[in-house]
Amino acid sequence: MAGLAAGALGLLVLLSIFLIQRFDRAATEREEHMVENGFAVVTAELNRVVATQVEWDGAIANLDNRFDPNWADFNIGNYLHVFHGFSHAYVLGPDDRVIYASARGERADLATYAPFEATVRSLLPEVRAQERVRPKPGKRPGKNNIVIPSIQASRIALVDGRPFIVSATLVQPDFGEDLPKGPRAPIAIAVKPIDQAMLKSFADRYMLDDLVVRSPAALSAADGKLLLSDRSGEPVAALTWAPQRPGTMLLRQLAAPLFLLLGMLAALAWRVIQRGSAIATDLIASEARAKHAAFHDSLTRLPNRAYLFERLAQSLRRVEGPETAVAVMCVDLDRFKEVNDTLGHNAGDALLEAMAERLRLACSEATCVARLGGDEFVVLLETGDEAAALVLGRRIIRAVSERVVSEYGKIEVACSIGFAFIDQPGIEPSEALRWADMALYRSKEIGGRRVSRFTPDMDQDLRHRLQLEVELREAIGSEQFSMVYQPHFDRRRNLKGYEALLRWNHPVRGAISPSVFVPLAEDSGLIMVLGEHVLRQVFEETRQWRGVKIAINVSAVQLRARGFAAQVMRILAASGADARSYEIEVTETALLGDDQETISNIDALKRMGFAIALDDFGTGFSSLNVLQRFSVDKIKIDCSFVAALGAGRGSEALIEAIVNLARGLDMIVVAEGVETEAQWDHLLKAGCRQFQGHLLGRPEPAAAINRALPALRSASAA
Ligand code: C2E
Ligand code: MG
Ligand code: MG
C-alpha cells in the first residue's frame, strides 16, 4: 500500500515536471517566433531608413547623373552612421563596382568594401532583377506622387567574427525631376553591426533578458535563440536570451504550499497505513489466538481433541503399510477420578498440568501429544518401528508414574496406556482412537500402570462390557440381585457379625462378581439405584439378627451424593431396623480430600448410630489423617496383605504397624481373606482382633444364616 502511494506520488511529480517543461518550451517557442518577427521588423526598418535616403530625385542627381562624394558623405555615410548606427556605407555604380566608401561616418578607402563584397554580390541579382521589371518612372508634371516601390535586399554577413546586416537599396527618383541616365541605377549598400547598442534597443523593445550574440556552436538548450544565416544559408550567428519560464515560475511560487500540502498528504497517508497495518496485525494476532484457542486445551496448553483428530487424520492418510505406520497411544491416569473426587478439582487440575508437562518432556519424538479430555491424553508417533513405539509407551509410564508434590499434598500417580499400531490404510481417526481406547481399558482392567496393545478380541470384550451394562440396567430391582452374608469372628472365633455382599445371578451368564459389575454401575451412574436396593434388602433381611454387626459396603459415589445419609435414614426407618447394629464400609480413598458432601454424609451416618469401617486398608492413598478426622471405628486389612503373609517379612511388619496404629486410635483391626490356619496364627500374633475369610466362613444367603444363627450365637456365648 505504501509502495502504491509512493508510486502514485512519483508519477504525479513526473507528470508535473513534464507538464511544466512543456509549458516552458511552448512559451520559449512563442518568444522565438516573436524575436524572429521582431528581427525582421527591425531589418525592414533599417531598410526603410536607407530607402528614404536614396529614393528621391536628389539621390539620382548626385549619385547617378553625376557623382558627388560630398553629397554621399552627408546624405549616406555620415547620416546613416550618426542617426542610425550604421558602421559602413558604400555606393556601387551601374556596373556594380564600388565608387564610394564610408566607415563610421567618415569617407573611407574603397578597399573597406572587400569584406562585404561577397555578401553584396549575393544580393545584387535580386535587386537588379527587380530593377529590370519595375515600372519606368516617367515625368508626370503636376503630379508629385510617383510612389515607387523600394527595391531592396538584405542579408547577414559575418566579418571578423562579428555579424552585420548588409542591405542593398537601388537608388531611385521620386518625382522624376531627375532620372537615371542608363538602364541601371547605382545601388547604396548600408552595413549595420549587430552590436551591443542594437541588441539593447531590441531587447528593450521586446522585453528580453540577457540578449546576446553567440556563435551557433556555443548554444545552450535552455536559451531562447534566433539563428542568423549568411548568404550560403549557413547559420553564422545566433541571438540568444534567457527565455521566460512561466511554468517554472509558477512552480516556484507554488512549490512551498505544494510541498506543504504533499507533506501533509504523505503524513496522512503514513498515518492511515500505520493504522491499517496495526489493525491488520491485531487481526492476524487475534485470529491466531482464536485458532490456538480452538485447537488447544486451556488447562494444559496441549493440542485438544479437534486438533488431534485433524493431525491423526493426516497421519492415517499417509499410511500405506507397516513402513509408514502410525502408533496411537491413549494415556490415562490411574485412579484420577479418585483424586478429583477426594482432593477436589483444583488438585485434579494441578495433577493434569504436571502430567501434561511430563508427557511433553517424555515424548519429544512424538508427532503429537494431545489432551482428549478429562485425564485422557493421546500420543501419536509416525513410525514403522512398532517395538520403538512400545518402548516410548513404557518410557511414558515411567515418566508419569512419579509422585506429584503439589500444594494439595503428595499425590501418587501412575498411568495406563492403550496402544494401537495402525499399519493398514483406510482407518478412520475415530476407529484408531477406539482401538487404542479398548487397549487402554485392558491395561486398566489388569491393574493399570502398563501398556496394552490392541488386539481384535478386545473389540469383542468392549461389546461384551457394553452389553453387560445394558443388562445391568435391566436387572436392577429384579430377582437377579441378592445378598449373601460372610461372617467375621473374634480371636476366640466367636461370631461378631456379617458383611453383606451383593450377588448378581445372571440368568445366562451365571454368577457375576461385584468386582466386575460394581465399577460398571459406578461408571454408568446405576450405583445409586443399586445401592438403594442393597440397603433395603439388607435392612429387611437382617433387622431381626440380634447381637451381631452387619457391615454394608457403600461406594464412594454414593457417599459423595447429596442426601445419601437422608436416603439411608428413610430406608432404615421404613424397615424398622436399628442403625446401631450396622456398619458402613467405605474404601479409604472415598474419604480422602475435603468433599463437603462426603463429610456431611459420614457425620450424619455416625449421628444416626452407624459405625464406620475403612475397607481394603493399605491399598489406596493411606492417609492417617483420614482415620482421625472421620473417627473411623474399624480398619479392614486388605486380603492382599493377608495372602502375602509368610512370603516375606514385609507384610507381617506392615500388619503389626497397622494394628499398633489402630490400637493407639482405639480402632478395631479386621483381617480379610483369611484362608489358612497359618495366616490365622500370624494375624493372631500380630494382634488382629477380628477375622473374616473362607477359613472361618463363606458368604451365605440370609435364609441359611437365619437357620444357623441361634446355634452360632449360643456357641459364641458359651
Ligand atoms: P470387599 O468389601 O473387600 O469384600 C470382601 C471380598 O472378599 C468379597 O468378595 C468376599 O467374597 C471376598 N472374600 C472373603 N473371604 C475371602 C477369602 O478367604 N479369600 C478370598 N479370595 N476372598 C474372600 P466379593 O463378594 O466378590 O466382593 C468384592 C467387592 O465388591 C467387595 O470387596 C466390595 O468392595 C464390593 N461389593 C460387594 N458387595 C457390594 C455392595 O453391596 N455394595 C458395594 N458398593 N460394593 C460391594
Ligand atoms: Mg467390604
Ligand atoms: Mg475389602
Side-chain angles (χ1 to χ4, degrees):
M1 193 154 137
L4 211 72
L9 208 69
L11 213 68
L12 200 73
V13 169
L14 279 180
L15 190 73
S16 315
I17 290 175
F18 173 73
L19 285 177
I20 283 165
Q21 278 180 347
R22 275 276 301 263
F23 197 26
D24 284 353
R25 187 72 232 136
T28 305
E29 275 166 15
R30 235 182 357 260
E31 260 182 23
E32 285 173 347
H33 204 63
M34 180 187 82
V35 169
E36 193 181 356
N37 287 339
F39 195 75
V41 167
V42 167
T43 309
E45 281 171 4
L46 290 174
N47 282 341
R48 193 74 244 125
V49 165
V50 180
T52 48
Q53 291 308 101
V54 298
E55 288 177 355
W56 59 301
D57 293 348
I60 289 290
N62 291 295
L63 295 179
D64 178 76
N65 295 354
R66 61 190 162 91
F67 181 68
D68 180 354
N70 291 330
W71 187 95
D73 280 343
F74 185 76
N75 288 287
I76 303 176
N78 193 258
Y79 175 84
L80 288 179
H81 175 68
V82 172
F83 293 101
H84 296 284
F86 285 81
S87 58
H88 300 81
Y90 303 97
V91 176
L92 307 184
D95 55 357
D96 292 343
R97 294 247 193 89
V98 65
I99 53 170
Y100 170 82
S102 163
R104 265 158 243 99
E106 300 290 329
R107 180 95 53 89
D109 191 337
L110 292 182
T112 57
Y113 173 60
F116 303 105
E117 190 174 355
T119 304
V120 173
R121 270 189 199 296
S122 73
L123 298 172
L124 291 179
E126 194 181 322
V127 175
R128 291 295 181 202
Q130 288 185 54
E131 183 184 27
R132 275 197 299 278
V133 298
R134 71 174 171 157
K136 292 281 179 229
K139 239 179 186 169
R140 292 190 194 156
K143 284 205 158 194
N144 302 346
N145 61 348
I146 309 174
V147 179
I148 39 156
S150 296
I151 295 178
Q152 289 185 298
S154 60
R155 190 143 288 167
I156 303 290
L158 196 69
V159 173
D160 293 338
R162 288 166 53 211
F164 293 87
I165 301 172
V166 177
S167 116
T169 310
L170 187 72
V171 180
Q172 293 190 78
D174 53 354
F175 292 104
E177 303 283 332
D178 296 291
L179 291 170
K181 48 186 195 217
R184 286 162 58 126
I187 292 174
I189 305 296
V191 176
K192 164 113 180 159
I194 303 177
D195 58 6
Q196 217 39 53
M198 180 187 168
L199 288 179
K200 184 170 179 322
S201 79
F202 189 80
D204 286 349
R205 190 156 156 190
Y206 291 99
M207 290 187 293
L208 299 172
D209 293 330
D210 306 333
L211 182 68
V212 287
V213 180
R214 284 225 175 96
S215 139
L219 289 181
S220 140
D223 288 339
K225 55 190 157 299
L226 174 65
L227 291 174
L228 303 175
S229 304
D230 71 355
R231 64 184 194 281
S232 59
E234 274 298 304
V236 289
L239 296 186
T240 74
W241 64 97
Q244 304 253 316
R245 297 180 175 280
T248 311
M249 226 155 70
L250 187 72
L251 181 72
R252 258 191 220 122
Q253 268 163 20
L254 285 182
L258 213 63
F259 271 114
L260 200 72
L261 196 72
L262 269 179
M264 275 160 61
L265 273 177
L268 193 74
W270 180 242
R271 192 80 200 94
V272 167
I273 288 168
Q274 267 189 331
R275 195 77 200 95
S277 85
I279 290 171
T281 315
D282 274 5
L283 268 176
I284 291 167
S286 79
E287 196 196 298
R289 272 198 302 277
K291 211 164 165 180
H292 189 272
F295 284 108
H296 287 81
D297 167 47
S298 57
L299 177 66
T300 61
R301 294 187 307 282
L302 285 179
N304 63 8
R305 173 184 284 270
Y307 182 96
L308 172 79
F309 265 74
E310 262 184 33
R311 192 66 194 75
L312 179 57
Q314 219 177 75
S315 295
L316 289 173
R317 274 198 297 274
R318 288 204 201 112
V319 176
E320 282 166 357
E323 299 290 282
T324 49
V326 184
V328 182
M329 284 181 257
C330 277
V331 183
D332 191 288
L333 279 184
D334 292 339
R335 302 196 309 188
F336 173 73
K337 201 161 134 48
E338 284 171 23
V339 175
N340 223 5
D341 289 347
T342 54
L343 294 180
H345 290 287
N346 290 341
D349 285 355
L351 182 59
L352 289 174
E353 282 182 66
M355 163 141 179
E357 191 51 39
R358 287 175 181 182
L359 271 178
R360 240 196 298 259
L361 287 176
C363 306
S364 51
E365 74 264 49
T367 311
C368 174
V369 177
R371 181 179 174 211
L372 213 55
D375 61 333
E376 218 180 320
F377 295 80
V378 172
V379 176
L380 291 189
L381 183 65
E382 286 173 356
T383 176
D385 186 349
E386 184 174 1
L390 280 164
V391 167
L392 173 65
R394 281 191 281 275
R395 195 165 78 225
I396 291 172
I397 290 186
R398 274 200 305 280
V400 171
S401 306
E402 290 255 331
R403 176 182 294 168
V404 170
V405 182
S406 75
E407 56 184 301
Y408 308 97
K410 294 173 186 154
I411 309 171
E412 293 296 338
V413 279
C415 71
S416 302
I417 293 183
F419 178 97
F421 193 70
I422 317 292
D423 58 1
Q424 66 209 86
I427 304 294
E428 289 295 314
S430 53
E431 185 69 355
L433 281 173
R434 203 173 67 85
W435 289 357
D437 201 51
M438 276 185 273
L440 172 67
Y441 184 75
R442 172 63 53 83
S443 287
K444 295 263 174 196
E445 211 176 32
I446 53 180
R449 206 174 174 152
R450 66 195 75 212
V451 185
S452 299
R453 192 189 181 289
F454 170 78
T455 51
D457 61 288
M458 289 180 184
D459 211 359
Q460 201 65 40
D461 289 358
L462 182 70
R463 283 181 222 287
H464 176 238
R465 203 172 96 91
L466 293 177
Q467 179 59 30
L468 205 63
E469 200 178 297
V470 172
E471 289 169 2
L472 176 69
R473 198 178 291 273
E474 288 164 359
I476 290 177
S478 79
E479 295 298 298
Q480 290 178 31
F481 284 100
S482 63
M483 300 309 301
V484 289
Y485 300 88
Q486 183 177 33
H488 46 265
F489 300 88
D490 67 8
R491 297 167 67 90
R492 279 171 294 173
R493 300 206 188 186
N494 287 329
L495 177 72
K496 295 304 288 182
Y498 292 93
E499 178 177 2
L501 295 163
L502 183 59
R503 291 290 173 263
W504 182 10
N505 290 304
H506 194 279
V508 183
R509 303 179 200 271
I512 298 173
S513 165
S515 34
V516 172
F517 70 79
V518 167
L520 205 64
E522 282 177 335
D523 285 352
S524 57
L526 290 170
I527 192 70
M528 292 311 292
V529 209
L530 194 61
E532 189 178 335
H533 172 82
V534 168
L535 288 166
R536 191 163 285 129
Q537 187 95 359
V538 172
F539 291 146
E540 193 61 40
E541 290 179 344
T542 63
R543 77 194 136 122
Q544 305 292 357
W545 301 357
R546 301 276 168 241
V548 285
K549 271 260 193 244
I550 316 294
I552 304 171
N553 292 287
V554 165
S555 139
V557 179
Q558 284 171 284
L559 213 54
R560 214 175 43 237
R562 176 177 290 251
F564 171 67
Q567 183 191 44
V568 176
M569 172 93 110
R570 243 190 349 266
I571 301 169
L572 182 78
S575 68
D578 181 357
R580 282 166 304 177
S581 308
Y582 296 92
E583 210 165 54
I584 301 292
E585 276 192 21
V586 295
T587 54
E588 55 184 330
T589 41
L591 300 186
L592 277 175
D594 52 3
D595 182 78
Q596 281 309 310
E597 292 305 331
T598 303
I599 294 171
S600 70
N601 278 329
I602 297 267
D603 282 352
L605 289 169
K606 282 197 78 107
R607 275 199 306 277
M608 280 184 251
F610 288 100
I612 303 294
L614 213 50
D615 206 356
D616 306 341
F617 191 80
T619 57
F621 298 95
S622 305
S623 162
L624 303 180
N625 187 19
V626 164
L627 298 178
Q628 217 169 15
R629 178 134 141 242
F630 291 99
S631 48
V632 169
D633 304 283
K634 203 184 239 185
I635 295 175
K636 298 185 81 172
I637 295 178
D638 192 64
C639 302
S640 54
F641 296 105
V642 177
L645 274 175
R649 302 264 313 134
S651 49
E652 270 133 272
L654 202 83
I655 290 170
E656 255 169 72
I658 295 173
V659 169
N660 287 334
L661 174 84
R663 197 173 286 149
L665 293 169
D666 199 24
M667 293 172 186
I668 299 167
V669 177
V670 185
E672 280 187 286
V674 187
E675 291 181 343
T676 66
E677 291 292 348
Q679 286 169 348
W680 166 266
D681 287 341
H682 271 298
L683 292 165
L684 213 56
K685 239 185 275 158
C688 279
R689 303 246 304 269
Q690 288 187 11
F691 309 86
Q692 187 179 344
H694 294 165
L695 175 70
L696 308 162
R698 287 180 181 267
E700 284 183 292
I705 294 169
N706 277 330
R707 284 194 297 276
L709 198 56
L712 269 170
R713 259 207 306 263
S714 58
S716 297

